[in-house]
Amino acid sequence: MISIEHRDNLVAITVFGEFALADYKEFEELVNYKIQFAGQIDLLFDLREMAGFTLDVAWEEIKFSRQHAHDFRRIAVLTSDQWLTWSAWVSQLFVDAAVQVFDDEAEARDWLGATIEAAE
């Protein structure tokens, strides 16, 4: 299950339990809409409550990242899991965005907010 928050050029997603393909498709749909009308966006992935993800989500994420290699400014990942930290690092190979891992949500939002303030 996921929870999505969006405003201006930020899309924040929180994953609870297993991240399934239907959840990822919901995320993709919103991101595609935001990119179409707002241009480049920032992403915040809160994966602290994620129990895992299905293989089809991993494959979809690779395809989606390659399609949108230039559509993100910054991507903040909230996790303390070393595997997810490594995965975030690898995803930098597919996108031009700055990707940073945080364990504190306020720090992640501050980092993403610096992008919005700098653009104004």
Side-chain angles (χ1 to χ4, degrees):
M1 182 172 93
I2 63 171
S3 170
I4 299 177
E5 162 199 340
H6 61 94
R7 63 174 168 71
D8 302 325
N9 292 342
L10 173 67
V11 174
I13 179 172
T14 303
V15 179
F16 302 96
E18 185 173 69
F19 198 10
L21 186 58
D23 297 325
Y24 196 86
K25 291 290 190 177
E26 181 182 344
F27 159 74
E28 275 184 327
E29 186 177 313
L30 176 63
V31 168
N32 284 329
Y33 177 84
K34 295 292 276 187
I35 290 168
Q36 181 179 356
F37 292 102
Q40 282 190 327
I41 63 171
D42 295 324
L43 299 176
L44 172 62
F45 284 101
D46 186 344
L47 306 178
R48 295 174 293 180
E49 300 296 323
M50 184 175 78
F53 53 90
T54 59
L55 185 56
D56 50 359
V57 166
W59 178 244
E60 191 67 22
E61 195 278 328
I62 291 170
K63 293 188 313 183
F64 185 76
S65 294
R66 293 186 72 190
Q67 287 175 330
H68 296 284
H70 310 291
D71 294 330
F72 307 112
R73 285 185 297 225
R74 290 186 178 188
I75 302 171
V77 180
L78 281 167
T79 186
S80 58
D81 183 290
Q82 290 297 345
W83 169 252
L84 293 174
T85 299
W86 180 83
S87 178
W89 178 81
V90 167
S91 70
Q92 290 184 70
L93 301 173
F94 300 109
V95 295
D96 290 338
V99 179
Q100 191 160 335
V101 177
F102 297 88
D103 56 9
D104 181 75
E105 184 173 352
E107 289 178 15
R109 287 185 181 272
D110 286 347
W111 182 71
L112 291 170
T115 301
I116 294 169
E117 292 167 8
E120 294 177 345

